[in-house]
Each structure stands twice: as C-alpha cells, then as structure tokens.
C-alpha cells in the first residue's frame, strides 16, 4: 500500500469519526451524540441517534429518557417518524403529555396520592385531581439521566441510569434505575428496565411513546387496526382509578381480541369510554407460560402497511388514545397534535396496585431486582 493510499484511508476514517460526533450524516450501524439544549438549571442535554444496519433510526435524549423520534420503513421502504415529540430539550422541559418519556417511579395513577407499606402511610403530590399520576410533579421524565453508548451485537444500545433519592416525590428508598434501549437491526426497539432499592418501595416503569404509524402529524389514528391479547380490562371510576374489578371484554367496546379499527366503537355511549374520554384503560394481558416476553398488542396502519407489535414481560398495558391532546402543543417541525392523533400502549403493572391487594404486586424489596422488558417490533404487511 502506498503512503498516499494509507493517508486517504486515515483521513476517511477521521472524517467519518467527526461526522459521527457531530451527527451530520448518520452512518448505518452507528450511534451519534449531539447537543439537544439545556435543562432549566443550565445543564447540557444530549440527543443520541441510533441508526441500525437497515437504516431505521431512534433518537433518544437523556432528559427524561424521551424517545424523540423513531423512523421506520413502510411497505415500500420509505421511512417516517412514527412518534410524537419536540425538536429541543425545552419541549420536554415544558411537556405535560409525557411524549416518549420514561415514566416513574410509579407509572399511571395511585388513588388519593397515598399508599401504605408495612403500616406506614406515604403521601404523594396530587397532580391529577385527587390522585398521583406518573411519578408526581417531577417524575423520572423530568430528570437528567446519565447515558452511555454500549456495544450491542444485534443493533445499537444506549444505557441510561438515574438515582432517585429516598423521599423523592414522596416515595421511600434510594432507587437505582438502569434502562437500556436497543434499536435492533431487525427494526425493534427493545427496552430493558432494572432497579434496586435501599428500602421497601413501589416501582412501575414504562415508556410513554405516542405512536402514529402513518407518521407523526399525519391525522388521527382511528383507522389503525388494533389487536390486544386481553380477555379482561380494569374498569375505572371518574378519577380513572380502577374499581378493582377485572371485567370480561366480551360484548364491550374493549374487545380487541380480533383486529378492530381503533375508531370503530370509540364514540359509543358506554360508561367506561365516557369516563376515559375514549380509551384510557389498563388491559389484563393473556400471558404465555414462562418468564419471557409475550405478545401484548399488534397495530396495523393499512395505508402505509406499517405494523407495530408490543411484546412485554408486564401483566398489563394501558391503551390510551390521546384523548387529552388538544392541538395546541407545538411539536416537531412546528406540527400540532390534535385529539386522537396518536395512541399509547404503556406496558405496566396495573394502575393503583399499591392500594389494590388483588392486583399483581408492584412492591420492590431491598435485595431484590426489579426487571422488566418491553419490545416494540416494527414490520410491514401488504
Ligand atoms: C396516561 C394516562 C392518561 C394521561 C396520559 C398523559 O396514558 O392514563 O390519562 O394522563 O398518560 O396525558
């Protein structure tokens, strides 16, 4: 090899490296880091762009671990960004909808914003009527996490960690949380959550991505076809707290055992739909035997052919149809997001489990490890 050739190769490698650092041209099978703004306290916030070998891309910020964008192909290979979000960290600082966020310490609601553990009552902020929602006033979605790019054999991985202090938002025990997001080369976004605690506490972590498989900003999601692997759901009261009943979906608008358009029954004159302003309910998942992930839900967007499958180790999934979106929030590229322009499938333990002895327990003891996995798998069909 001549000296000239060696130099050219070296310069090429240097150039690629520089591009990778500035994020100017995402290379297939790479992760790049760029600036995303600042926290209100002036700390720098980063955006990590994970690009897999087939060109799909997930951008994740260390502010609230929000999935900022997720670009996946349609049936002809054309990429579209299928999640709602904001262009800069400021959007996430001001966000009230939990776009893409990592929700904790307790995702979903805790009734009357309190619970009892070993005879001691813990009081949380009432940030949703009488109740606590999504970890409180400054939940995990408002924290700056420590990010680390990890080597992964089947894709691109980002590990994020956070120490939630004893007493933060009223919850007991120092809680060490680590979540790993992997964008696989097979177009799946896998989220591995783990946590350990110093004191007995409750934990329920989820991701709050708002999906629109036609592309974010492309109208409503009422024509998306949905299947949920659930024979029962947990009906709620007017504060959206489960009554404790596990109700059969048979003969109700909550029967998604066969693929049905999200909008087919959403405006029916039915008590539970009225309470939720549409779907905003926890479904009791039909879990396969064993310890791994089971299929929870499948969504098809007929025009683009995009398919989303949600797989999880969790017992429940909150199906939410963006009923509180009002078209006033300005999102990516100036897009606004009207009511029902996205849906969420938040894998979880059931809402209000700390006060519902019959629900699967969300208690974490010192010495034990909280560990759950949820995978969003993207594909297409004809
Ligand atoms: C969850 C809740 C909804 C709503 C959204 C955030 O899905 O169940 O009621 O609070 O989060 O807007």
């Amino acid at each position: 090899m001549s000296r000239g050739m060696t130099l050219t190769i070296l310069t090429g490698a240097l150039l690629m490296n520089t591009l990778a650092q500035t994020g100017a041209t995402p290379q297939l099978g790479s992760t790049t880091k760029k600036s995303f703004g600042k926290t209100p306290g002036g700390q720098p916030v980063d955006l990590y762009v994970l690009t897999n070998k087939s060109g799909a891309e997930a951008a994740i910020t260390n502010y609230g671990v929000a999935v900022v964008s997720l670009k996946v192909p349609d049936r002809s290979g054309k990429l579209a960004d299928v999640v709602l979000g904001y262009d800069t960290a400021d959007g996430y600082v001001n966000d009230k909808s939990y776009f893409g966020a990592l929700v904790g310490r307790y995702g979903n609601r805790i009734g009357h914003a309190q619970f009892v553990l070993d005879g001691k009552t813990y009081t949380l902020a009432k940030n949703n009527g009488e109740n606590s929602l999504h970890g409180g006033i400054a939940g995990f979605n408002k924290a700056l996490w420590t990010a680390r790019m990890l080597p992964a054999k089947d894709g691109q991985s980002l590990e994020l960690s956070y120490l939630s202090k004893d007493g933060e938002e009223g919850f007991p025990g120092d809680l060490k949380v680590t979540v790993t997001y992997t964008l696989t080369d097979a177009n799946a976004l896998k989220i591995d959550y783990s946590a350990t605690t110093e004191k007995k506490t409750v934990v329920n972590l989820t991701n709050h991505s708002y999906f629109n498989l036609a592309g974010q900003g492309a109208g409503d999601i009422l024509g998306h076809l949905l299947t949920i692997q659930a024979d029962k759901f947990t009906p709620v009261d007017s504060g959206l707290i489960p009554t404790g009943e596990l109700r059969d979906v048979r003969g109700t608008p909550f029967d998604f055992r066969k693929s049905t358009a999200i909008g087919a029954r959403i405006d029916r004159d039915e008590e539970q739909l009225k309470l939720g302003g549409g779907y905003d309910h926890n479904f009791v998942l039909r879990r396969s035997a064993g310890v791994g992930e089971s299929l929870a839900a499948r969504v098809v967007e007929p025009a683009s052919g995009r398919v989303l499958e949600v797989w999880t180790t969790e017992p429940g999934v909150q199906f939410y149809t963006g009923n509180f979106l009002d078209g006033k929030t300005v999102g990516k590229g100036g897009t606004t997001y009207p009511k029902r322009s996205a849906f969420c499938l938040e894998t979880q333990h059931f809402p209000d489990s700390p006060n519902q002895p019959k629900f699967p327990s969300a208690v974490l003891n010192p010495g034990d490890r909280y560990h759950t996995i949820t995978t969003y798998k993207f594909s297409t069909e004809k």
Side-chain angles (χ1 to χ4, degrees):
M1 198 188 287
S2 76
R3 228 179 130 208
M5 262 176 85
T6 323
L7 253 180
T8 316
I9 293 168
L10 269 176
T11 325
L14 271 176
L15 184 68
M16 291 225 331
N17 236 330
T18 318
L19 283 175
Q21 273 163 23
T22 56
T25 313
Q27 308 289 323
L28 297 185
S30 75
T31 301
T32 61
K33 173 182 165 179
K34 53 186 173 189
S35 170
F36 198 49
K38 286 198 162 68
T39 65
Q43 286 170 288
V45 177
D46 298 317
L47 184 70
Y48 294 84
V49 182
L50 286 61
T51 309
N52 73 8
K53 286 190 177 145
S54 41
E57 184 192 291
I60 299 165
T61 171
N62 61 334
Y63 185 83
V65 198
V67 176
V68 171
S69 68
L70 191 52
K71 295 177 187 162
V72 293
D74 68 4
R75 64 164 74 87
S76 65
K78 195 171 160 249
L79 294 178
D81 181 359
V82 296
V83 293
L84 274 48
Y86 307 100
D87 284 326
T88 62
D90 274 353
Y92 293 90
V93 168
N94 299 317
D95 168 81
K96 293 191 171 58
S97 307
Y98 303 87
F99 284 172
L102 190 293
V103 177
R105 181 179 303 201
Y106 197 93
N108 217 307
R109 294 177 175 79
I110 296 180
H112 301 290
Q114 63 175 45
F115 61 96
V116 179
L117 276 182
D118 291 340
K120 188 162 183 239
T121 301
Y122 293 93
T123 305
L124 314 168
K126 293 181 176 168
N127 64 335
N128 189 245
E130 278 300 289
N131 308 317
S132 160
L133 176 68
H134 291 334
I137 293 165
F140 290 3
N141 59 309
K142 299 292 181 195
L144 190 64
W145 293 59
T146 304
R148 197 158 67 104
M149 297 186 239
L150 289 183
K153 60 176 187 317
D154 57 343
Q156 298 296 313
S157 272
L158 186 69
E159 180 198 81
L160 298 115
S161 46
Y162 176 62
L163 171 67
S164 167
K165 288 277 170 73
D166 184 13
E168 184 180 276
E169 289 292 330
F171 292 97
D174 276 355
L175 186 79
K176 264 194 196 155
V177 189
T178 304
V179 294
T180 305
Y181 279 67
T182 303
L183 178 65
T184 74
D185 292 325
N187 293 351
L189 185 65
K190 178 177 178 185
I191 312 175
D192 187 294
Y193 303 85
S194 65
T196 52
T197 187
E198 297 287 319
K199 277 186 199 164
K200 190 171 188 171
T201 190
V202 293
V203 189
N204 194 24
L205 306 178
T206 193
N207 171 272
H208 209 304
S209 285
Y210 283 70
F211 298 100
N212 185 327
L213 300 181
Q216 63 106 26
D220 69 55
I221 43 75
L222 300 176
H224 285 51
L225 303 171
L226 170 69
T227 315
I228 306 182
Q229 302 293 320
D231 303 310
K232 293 184 181 342
F233 75 107
T234 51
V236 290
D237 67 16
S238 60
L240 300 186
I241 297 294
T243 59
E245 180 191 350
L246 304 185
R247 188 178 292 174
D248 210 313
V249 296
R250 191 181 305 268
T252 77
F254 293 82
D255 190 348
F256 283 98
R257 291 174 301 172
K258 286 204 192 100
S259 173
T260 308
I262 291 176
R265 301 161 300 190
I266 200 167
D267 288 321
R268 273 205 195 157
D269 186 8
E270 195 270 350
E271 184 217 14
Q272 285 297 316
L273 285 174
K274 291 206 149 156
L275 289 170
Y279 296 100
D280 193 352
H281 295 78
N282 171 66
F283 286 73
V284 179
L285 293 171
R286 200 191 297 144
R287 305 254 311 124
S288 346
V291 287
E293 292 168 272
S294 302
L295 179 66
R298 185 170 194 271
V299 191
V300 179
E301 199 285 296
S304 64
R306 286 193 189 88
V307 178
L308 165 63
E309 279 184 9
V310 182
W311 290 72
T312 188
T313 57
E314 287 282 28
V317 67
Q318 184 85 5
F319 172 49
Y320 170 58
T321 41
N323 313 312
F324 297 122
L325 296 176
D326 59 6
K328 288 187 191 142
T329 306
V330 181
K332 286 179 280 190
T335 319
T336 51
Y337 304 122
K339 185 173 172 180
R340 298 183 182 158
S341 58
F343 65 90
C344 302
L345 288 163
E346 305 152 53
T347 55
Q348 61 185 359
H349 268 54
F350 306 170
D352 199 32
S353 294
N355 295 308
Q356 304 262 2
K358 290 196 179 133
F359 288 177
S361 172
V363 171
L364 180 68
N365 285 299
D368 289 346
R369 177 168 167 253
Y370 171 95
H371 184 222
T372 69
I373 304 172
T374 293
T375 306
Y376 295 98
K377 297 185 184 175
F378 294 91
S379 60
T380 58
E381 62 177 38
K382 292 239 167 79

